[in-house]
């Protein structure tokens, strides 16, 4: 597997992880692709929780963190929220143009949902559009997802969501380093 195909698996994995506990089967299928990652320990524990804990409890924890919480949602998983402090902001048009450019139609979540953006990047790397993927990562993902990861860690109400935040934070640190290396080697 080339480096970029491997990165595709990372983004695919996080796309499913950030959609919630109901995607346990998809996560397990991708587990072998991320065994050597810095965040593998957190992911392994997440899988253990998904297999051994009450799914209803994990869904409640996930919902409280990402979907709906009393008084104020602490971790809305939307680029519009982090970049424009609104839901369904003007960034949606730019994202939709990106998706349509490659013949993609958003179906699972809103266009600026973290899992949608992760899935898109996974697709770009998978079809060897590495330059385009790196650009999207730099222009979108790395601008807001690290803050989302920190918010998840700070506001998690249980081990499951805290581990998601910790794994996401490590992944974003790795991506920042990888894309900086890619940028410097292309300029050399």
């Amino acid at each position: 597997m080339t480096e970029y195909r491997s990165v595709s698996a990372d983004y695919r994995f996080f796309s499913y992880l950030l959609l919630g506990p109901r995607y346990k089967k998809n996560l397990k299928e991708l587990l072998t692709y991320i065994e050597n990652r810095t965040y593998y320990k957190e992911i392994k524990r997440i899988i253990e929780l998904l297999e051994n804990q009450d799914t209803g409890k994990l869904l409640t924890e996930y919902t409280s963190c990402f979907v709906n919480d009393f008084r104020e949602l602490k971790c809305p998983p939307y680029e519009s929220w982090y970049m424009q402090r609104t839901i369904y902001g003007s960034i949606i048009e730019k994202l939709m143009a990106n998706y349509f450019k490659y013949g993609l139609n958003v179906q699972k979540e809103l266009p600026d949902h973290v899992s949608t953006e992760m899935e898109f990047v996974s697709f770009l790397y998978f079809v060897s559009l590495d330059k385009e993927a790196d650009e999207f990562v730099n222009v979108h993902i790395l601008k807001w997802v690290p803050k989302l990861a920190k918010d998840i860690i700070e506001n998690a109400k249980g081990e499951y969501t805290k581990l998601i935040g910790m794994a996401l934070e490590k992944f974003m640190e790795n991506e920042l380093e990888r894309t900086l290396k890619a940028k410097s080697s292309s300029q050399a």
Side-chain angles (χ1 to χ4, degrees), residues 17-170:
L17 181 65
L18 291 159
L19 282 172
R22 66 187 178 271
Y23 290 91
K24 172 176 65 173
K25 180 178 180 244
N26 304 82
L27 294 174
K28 288 173 71 175
E29 290 171 359
L30 291 165
L31 202 53
T32 57
Y33 295 107
I34 62 164
E35 287 176 334
N36 64 343
R37 302 300 196 264
T38 59
Y39 54 84
Y40 184 72
K41 182 179 84 174
E42 289 83 0
I43 295 302
K44 198 73 169 130
R45 179 66 185 137
I46 289 169
I47 298 296
E48 288 173 14
L49 289 171
L50 290 171
E51 290 178 334
N52 300 318
Q53 287 227 353
D54 175 51
T55 303
K57 180 181 180 231
L58 296 176
L59 278 167
T60 300
E61 187 180 330
Y62 174 86
T63 299
S64 176
C65 188
F66 297 108
V67 181
N68 187 15
D69 196 21
F70 181 68
R71 295 194 189 201
E72 178 184 341
L73 180 59
K74 307 281 192 291
C75 308
Y78 303 101
E79 183 175 358
S80 296
W81 179 254
Y82 282 89
M83 302 306 291
Q84 301 171 324
R85 291 319 237 189
T86 187
I87 298 295
Y88 216 84
S90 60
I91 194 76
I92 296 290
E93 290 177 39
K94 293 175 186 168
L95 290 168
M96 291 302 290
N98 264 311
Y99 303 150
F100 289 149
K101 178 179 176 181
Y102 299 100
L104 302 175
N105 187 18
V106 176
Q107 294 182 353
K108 287 181 197 167
E109 287 288 345
L110 291 176
D112 65 334
H113 190 281
V114 64
S115 68
T116 305
E117 291 189 19
M118 296 269 182
E119 184 73 20
F120 179 63
V121 172
S122 173
F123 164 77
L124 291 176
Y125 284 127
F126 187 77
V127 297
S128 299
L129 294 170
D130 307 336
K131 182 180 165 201
E132 293 85 346
D134 283 348
E135 182 180 340
F136 190 90
V137 167
N138 284 310
V139 171
H140 293 279
I141 302 284
L142 290 174
K143 298 282 191 228
W144 72 279
V145 177
K147 175 66 173 133
L148 171 65
K150 286 184 186 332
D151 285 350
I152 296 167
I153 294 167
E154 290 172 13
N155 296 290
K157 292 187 177 179
E159 183 182 14
Y160 170 64
T161 49
K162 186 166 196 125
L163 286 166
I164 290 173
M166 292 167 61
L168 184 60
E169 183 176 57
K170 287 181 179 181

